[in-house]
Amino acid sequence: MELWHCADARSFRPLWMLEEMGLAYTLHMLPFPPRWAQPDYLQTNPLGTIPYFTDGEAVLTESSGILPYLAARHGPTPLAVEPHEADYALYINYLFQSDATFTFPQTLVLRYRVLEPPEKRQPAVADAYAKWFLARMSWVEAHLADGREWLCAGRFTAADIAVGYACLLSETLGLEPQLGPLTRAWWSRCRDREGFRQAKAAQAG
């Protein structure tokens, strides 16, 4: 398996999953954003996006989609929630929410606060999408209010990895202190996992 990755970008989701599962892989580190900073990457992935993940003939480019792929193809693993389990619907919803609902507004904050040249930045747009992100994360805070340690199924799963990345990005953007107290405590537990630390070390090395 091979993963093309930028440090702390959305491709951190599959990197973290690979480490949690103890799977062998080759990591290709790229500058961010690769389609501008390393144009020859377009020969590998014409979209110019990360992640780009291969497993033999299989090719995947969606960070949240790679997680259930790894669980199904290289499991069994307790990181997956199975259809017969009570929290299966919550698990599936979190996998899709993680990018479409939680990460998406942050990408616009990143663009209009950081990536655009100063004359093209739009602070009002960035602030609006920052508020959007924080409001959507109230979903996580509400679920954690029943005393659960992890997001679903009573254990750490791929849902925690998928949504956890949104918290990692929120640190980059300075939004993490505005998350709810239960969400911040859960995110701290995620960061304390050996798999998370190994993923951080892998991208640093």
Side-chain angles (χ1 to χ4, degrees), residues 10 13 97-107 165-166 169:
R10 276 185 271 199
R13 287 182 176 120
Q97 270 186 323
S98 64
D99 223 20
T101 301
F102 302 144
T103 307
F104 167 70
Q106 292 190 94
T107 62
Y165 173 70
L169 182 55

Side-chain angles (χ1 to χ4, degrees), residues 97-168:
Q97 270 186 323
S98 64
D99 223 20
T101 301
F102 302 144
T103 307
F104 167 70
Q106 292 190 94
T107 62
L108 294 171
V109 178
L110 179 65
R111 175 178 178 178
Y112 289 115
R113 280 189 184 172
V114 180
L115 296 181
E116 290 285 0
E119 67 275 10
K120 292 186 177 180
R121 292 177 186 174
Q122 299 187 37
V125 172
D127 290 347
Y129 278 102
K131 291 178 181 178
W132 179 4
F133 162 70
L134 294 167
R136 297 301 184 269
M137 287 296 288
S138 64
W139 175 269
V140 176
E141 188 76 5
H143 279 162
L144 293 170
D146 65 2
R148 66 181 67 204
E149 182 179 14
W150 304 109
L151 293 184
C152 56
R155 63 183 184 273
F156 182 84
T157 71
D160 296 284
I161 292 174
V163 180
Y165 173 70
C167 293
L168 179 61

Side-chain angles (χ1 to χ4, degrees), residues 6-159:
C6 298
D8 287 350
R10 276 185 271 199
S11 44
F12 191 83
R13 287 182 176 120
L15 178 60
W16 187 359
M17 185 81 168
L18 287 162
E19 290 292 346
E20 289 281 353
M21 293 183 69
L23 298 173
Y25 63 92
T26 298
L27 185 64
H28 303 278
M29 292 299 301
L30 298 167
F32 185 85
R35 61 185 174 275
W36 297 333
Q38 191 166 322
D40 62 353
Y41 173 59
L42 294 170
Q43 298 174 24
T44 300
N45 177 12
L47 292 174
T49 58
I50 45 90
Y52 186 80
F53 174 80
T54 63
D55 181 12
E57 296 298 316
V59 175
L60 294 93
T61 61
E62 295 299 320
S63 63
S64 296
I66 296 170
L67 309 187
Y69 171 86
L70 289 171
R73 183 59 64 91
H74 295 282
T77 172
L79 294 171
V81 177
E82 301 299 333
H84 67 270
E85 296 185 73
D87 275 354
Y88 178 69
L90 183 60
Y91 168 76
I92 293 296
N93 201 56
Y94 267 129
L95 289 178
F96 283 85
Q97 270 186 323
S98 64
D99 223 20
T101 301
F102 302 144
T103 307
F104 167 70
Q106 292 190 94
T107 62
L108 294 171
V109 178
L110 179 65
R111 175 178 178 178
Y112 289 115
R113 280 189 184 172
V114 180
L115 296 181
E116 290 285 0
E119 67 275 10
K120 292 186 177 180
R121 292 177 186 174
Q122 299 187 37
V125 172
D127 290 347
Y129 278 102
K131 291 178 181 178
W132 179 4
F133 162 70
L134 294 167
R136 297 301 184 269
M137 287 296 288
S138 64
W139 175 269
V140 176
E141 188 76 5
H143 279 162
L144 293 170
D146 65 2
R148 66 181 67 204
E149 182 179 14
W150 304 109
L151 293 184
C152 56
R155 63 183 184 273
F156 182 84
T157 71

